[in-house]
C-alpha cells in the first residue's frame, strides 16, 4: 500500500475535518529543506506557516541536525528524577538568562499544552503551600488559546476547540481581552493606552482573593487569527496582578524565540511574569519539548523536607529529553552567533510590504504584522468589519488554491497569515506573497 493509502486507512489527523480528506488526501512529504517541503509526487511546497509555528531556522537546518545526531549517539534519554545531563542543564541556564536570571527555575515538559498544565498546577499548588487555597480560580482573556488538554482548554476562549468539552472542564473566568481590529472604543493599537484594560481590571479587582493566576499570550493571540495588541495592556496587567497578589502566566509558546521581533514577546512590555511557558521554536521545530520558567519565590514555597509533603510531584516520562535539549541548545547557539532578531525585523517588514499590495482589495479588512508574523483578515464588509459567512469557507478555499500553486498557507477561518521560518529569502518571500495574493483574488474576485 502507498503512504497515502495507509494514511487514509489508519490515520486520524489533528485539527482536521476528516471528511475533507476524501477530496484532499494528506500529502506525503518525503524530505524538507529550508522553507521547502518536498512531496512524494515530486512537487515542492513553501512552508509559509513554519509547520504550525514550530520551525524557526528552516527544515533540516544543518546545525540542529548535527547537534541531534551527536547527542543521539551519546545519550538519548534518561529518567529525569535524580538524574541530569549537560544538555538539560545548559539549556536551563540559557532559558533563565532570557529573563536576566530572574526566573531561574526551569521545569521541563514535552509539549506546549503540558507546559500550560504545569504552570496552572504550580500556581495553585503555591497557594496551597502558602496557606491561601481559596485562591483557586484562573482567569484568561477573550480570544485566548493555550492548548488542547483539559486544563489548557479550560483557560482557552475559542469555542471551536472548547465548546463541546465545556461540561468536563475546570470552572474558570473569562475577562475581556484586547480586540484591536474591532476595538469597541474605536482606538488604534499603535497609539492607544490599552483603555480596554478596564474590563479585566474590574474582574480582577472584584475577585482578587479567589484568583490564583491570569494567563495570557503576550502581544499575539495567534490561534484567534494572529491578533496583535498593545504592550501597554501587558504592562497594566503586570502592575495590577502584582498589586493584587495574582500570578501572571505568560504563554510564549507561539510568540517566543524571536517570532514577534524580540527574543520573548514579553520583552516588548519589559515585564517580569511569575511563570513563562515556552515550546514550539525552542527546538527549532525538530522535537517536542517545553519548559516552564519561574521565580525563586515560587520555587521556595515547594522546597521543604519530605515530611512536609510540599513538593511538585508532576512528571512526564520524557521530561528533559536529552536529544530535544541538545537541539534547543543548538537553537540558542544560532541566536548567539548571528543577529537573528535584526534579520527577523528586516524580513518581517519585507513580507508586510508585499502583503500591503492587496490592502485595497474590497475583502481585505486589515493587514496586521509583528516581527515575523503578517496576517490578512478577510471580511464581508470593510466598513462594518463584518466577518464572512463561516460556511462559505473562503479562507479554506484560499488555502487549497495556494497549496495547488506551491505554498502552504493554512488559514485560521478567514485570516490568511505568513509565519515562515526566519531563514526565508527575499525571492522566497516574493513567491510566497505573490501566490497568496493570487489565491485571494482567485477566490474572492
Ligand atoms: N499555547 C499557545 C499560545 C499555542 O499557540 C499553542 C499551540 N498552537 C499551545 C499553547 C499548545 O501547544 P501544543 O500544541 O504543543 O500542545
Amino acid at each position: 500500500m502507498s503512504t497515502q493509502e495507509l494514511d487514509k486507512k489508519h490515520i486520524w489527523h489533528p485539527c482536521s475535518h476528516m471528511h475533507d480528506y476524501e477530496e484532499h488526501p494528506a500529502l506525503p512529504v518525503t524530505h524538507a529543506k529550508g522553507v521547502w517541503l518536498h512531496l512524494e509526487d515530486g512537487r515542492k511546497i513553501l512552508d509559509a506557516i513554519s509547520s504550525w509555528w514550530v520551525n524557526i531556522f528552516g527544515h533540516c537546518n544543518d546545525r540542529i541536525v548535527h547537534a541531534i545526531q551527536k547527542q543521539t549517539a551519546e545519550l538519548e534519554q534518561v529518567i529525569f528524577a535524580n538524574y541530569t545531563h549537560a544538555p538539560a542543564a545548559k539549556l536551563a541556564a540559557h532559558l533563565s538568562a532570557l529573563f536576566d536570571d530572574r526566573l531561574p527555575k526551569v521545569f521541563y515538559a514535552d509539549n506546549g499544552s503540558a507546559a500550560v498544565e504545569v504552570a496552572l498546577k504550580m500556581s495553585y499548588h503555591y497557594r496551597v503551600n502558602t496557606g491561601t487555597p481559596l485562591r483557586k480560580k484562573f482567569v484568561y482573556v477573550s480570544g485566548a488559546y493555550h492548548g488542547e488538554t483539559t486544563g489548557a482548554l479550560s483557560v482557552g476562549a475559542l469555542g471551536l476547540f472548547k465548546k463541546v468539552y465545556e461540561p468536563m472542564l475546570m470552572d474558570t473566568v473569562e475577562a475581556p481581552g484586547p480586540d484591536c481590529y474591532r476595538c469597541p472604543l474605536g482606538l488604534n493599537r499603535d497609539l492607544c493606552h490599552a483603555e480596554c484594560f478596564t474590563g479585566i481590571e474590574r474582574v480582577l479587582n472584584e475577585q482578587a482573593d479567589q484568583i490564583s493566576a491570569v494567563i495570557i499570550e503576550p502581544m499575539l493571540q495567534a490561534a484567534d487569527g494572529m491578533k496583535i495588541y498593545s504592550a501597554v495592556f501587558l504592562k497594566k496587567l503586570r502592575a495590577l496582578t502584582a498589586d493584587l497578589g495574582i500570578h501572571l502566566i505568560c504563554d510564549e509558546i507561539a510568540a517566543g524565540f524571536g517570532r514577534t521581533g524580540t527574543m520573548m514577546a514579553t520583552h516588548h512590555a519589559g515585564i517580569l511574569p511569575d511563570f513563562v511557558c515556552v515550546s514550539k521554536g525552542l527546538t527549532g521545530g525538530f522535537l517536542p519539548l517545553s519548559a516552564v520558567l519561574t521565580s525563586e519565590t515560587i520555587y521556595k514555597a515547594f522546597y521543604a523536607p519530605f515530611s512536609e509533603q510540599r513538593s511538585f510531584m508532576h512528571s512526564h516520562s520524557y521530561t528533559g529529553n536529552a536529544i530535544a535539549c541538545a537541539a534547543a541548545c543548538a537553537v540558542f547557539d544560532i541566536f548567539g552567533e548571528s543577529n537573528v532578531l535584526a534579520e527577523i525585523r528586516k524580513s518581517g517588514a519585507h513580507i508586510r510590504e508585499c502583503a500591503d499590495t492587496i490592502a485595497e482589495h474590497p475583502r481585505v479588512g486589515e493587514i496586521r504584522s509583528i516581527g515575523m508574523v503578517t496576517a490578512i483578515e478577510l471580511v464581508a464588509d470593510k466598513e462594518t468589519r463584518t466577518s464572512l459567512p463561516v460556511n462559505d469557507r473562503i479562507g479554506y478555499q484560499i488555502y487549497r488554491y495556494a497549496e495547488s500553486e506551491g505554498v502552504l498557507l493554512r488559514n485560521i477561518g478567514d485570516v490568511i497569515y505568513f509565519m515562515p521560518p526566519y531563514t526565508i529569502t527575499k525571492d522566497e518571500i516574493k513567491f510566497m506573497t505573490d501566490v497568496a495574493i493570487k489565491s485571494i483574488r482567485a477566490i474572492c474576485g
Side-chain angles (χ1 to χ4, degrees):
M1 266 195 192
S2 70
T3 300
Q4 222 166 35
E5 285 163 341
L6 279 172
D7 179 284
K8 187 166 184 227
K9 186 155 181 238
H10 296 294
I11 295 185
W12 193 342
H13 284 270
C15 201
S16 293
H17 299 284
M18 291 310 300
H19 188 267
D20 289 342
Y21 285 54
E22 284 297 329
E23 205 182 328
H24 295 284
L27 299 175
V29 180
T30 51
H31 58 289
K33 189 75 190 165
V35 297
W36 296 101
L37 305 175
H38 295 267
L39 305 186
E40 211 172 70
D41 63 9
R43 282 191 298 145
K44 59 176 195 170
I45 296 196
L46 192 152
D47 184 357
I49 56 143
S50 297
S51 281
W52 261 341
W53 325 337
V54 298
N55 194 294
I56 58 177
F57 294 128
H59 288 277
C60 289
N61 176 286
D62 292 338
R63 190 76 184 268
I64 304 171
V65 168
H66 178 72
I68 288 173
Q69 284 173 337
K70 186 166 173 294
Q71 186 59 45
T72 309
E74 287 167 9
L75 171 69
E76 81 300 350
Q77 163 73 24
V78 63
I79 179 172
F80 207 59
N82 301 109
Y83 289 80
T84 191
H85 46 74
K90 199 173 140 197
L91 177 59
H94 279 308
L95 288 168
S96 165
L98 291 172
F99 289 90
D100 299 327
D101 289 337
R102 293 196 295 160
L103 297 177
K105 296 297 178 187
V106 176
F107 192 98
Y108 289 117
D110 44 21
N111 63 70
S113 306
V116 168
E117 302 283 345
V118 166
L120 297 175
K121 285 176 67 182
M122 269 185 186
S123 172
Y124 174 64
H125 198 158
Y126 171 90
R127 303 301 178 189
V128 173
N129 284 355
T130 54
T132 50
L134 293 181
R135 277 194 182 256
K136 59 184 181 189
K137 285 192 182 169
F138 290 95
V139 177
Y140 61 93
V141 295
S142 47
Y145 178 87
H146 299 288
E148 301 288 342
T149 50
T150 50
L153 262 190
S154 303
V155 290
L158 307 183
L160 173 68
F161 307 111
K162 179 175 187 177
K163 197 162 181 291
V164 180
Y165 311 104
E166 294 257 16
M168 57 182 277
L169 299 181
M170 277 159 49
D171 186 17
T172 50
V173 180
E174 179 168 327
D179 186 5
C180 302
Y181 173 46
R182 296 183 175 84
C183 178
L185 304 172
L187 301 173
N188 175 324
R189 66 165 81 76
D190 296 327
L191 306 170
C192 76
H193 299 286
E195 283 80 354
C196 62
F197 186 74
T198 49
I200 188 167
E201 189 174 29
R202 196 171 320 113
V203 172
L204 298 184
N205 278 323
E206 280 170 9
Q207 306 186 41
D209 55 355
Q210 299 163 51
I211 299 171
S212 190
V214 178
I215 183 166
I216 194 159
E217 294 156 272
M219 303 306 293
L220 175 72
Q221 291 189 299
D224 195 30
M226 301 298 157
K227 291 189 174 163
I228 298 160
Y229 64 90
S230 159
V232 181
F233 192 96
L234 287 176
K235 284 188 194 164
K236 288 187 173 179
L237 185 59
R238 175 66 289 188
L240 182 62
T241 49
D243 274 358
L244 298 175
I246 296 170
H247 294 147
L248 177 63
I249 304 172
C250 279
D251 175 350
E252 292 265 9
I253 291 162
F257 300 102
R259 190 51 82 179
T260 68
T262 51
M263 191 61 180
M264 291 284 120
T266 311
H267 294 169
H268 287 278
I271 56 164
L272 185 71
D274 300 288
F275 299 92
V276 172
C277 302
V278 293
S279 187
K280 291 194 188 272
L282 173 61
T283 61
F286 275 64
L287 288 161
L289 178 70
S290 62
V292 177
L293 282 53
T294 194
S295 66
E296 197 69 49
T297 309
I298 301 285
Y299 179 75
K300 273 195 187 139
F302 293 78
Y303 194 81
F306 176 82
S307 57
E308 293 184 25
Q309 292 290 312
R310 285 161 169 265
S311 302
F312 191 58
M313 298 308 286
H314 188 101
S315 66
H316 294 292
S317 315
Y318 282 100
T319 303
N321 175 263
I323 307 171
C325 289
C329 287
V331 164
F332 274 96
D333 289 344
I334 298 172
F335 271 110
E337 286 162 23
S338 52
N339 197 346
V340 179
L341 296 179
E343 286 301 312
I344 289 169
R345 289 193 208 112
K346 208 163 99 194
S347 300
H350 185 48
I351 294 173
R352 174 61 193 258
E353 257 166 51
C354 296
D356 275 343
T357 59
I358 196 166
E360 299 310 317
H361 189 282
R363 288 282 163 270
V364 174
E366 184 184 49
I367 302 184
R368 47 184 175 257
S369 55
I370 184 168
M372 203 60 154
V373 182
T374 293
I376 304 174
E377 178 156 350
L378 304 170
V379 291
D381 185 322
K382 256 173 131 86
E383 289 308 311
T384 58
R385 305 179 184 197
T386 314
S387 303
L388 288 158
V390 175
N391 287 337
D392 288 0
R393 300 186 83 188
I394 298 293
Y396 177 75
Q397 292 182 56
I398 293 167
Y399 158 47
R400 285 296 169 206
Y401 189 95
E403 190 176 75
S404 70
E405 296 279 321
V407 177
L408 165 52
L409 272 184
R410 199 181 145 95
N411 60 302
I412 300 178
D414 294 316
V415 174
I416 303 296
Y417 67 94
F418 307 107
M419 201 161 165
Y422 309 157
T423 48
I424 190 167
T425 64
K426 234 177 151 186
D427 288 347
E428 288 164 344
I429 288 175
K430 172 125 180 53
F431 176 73
M432 171 180 81
T433 50
D434 281 354
V435 167
I437 288 169
K438 181 177 173 197
S439 308
I440 292 171
R441 290 196 200 284
I443 303 301
C444 297

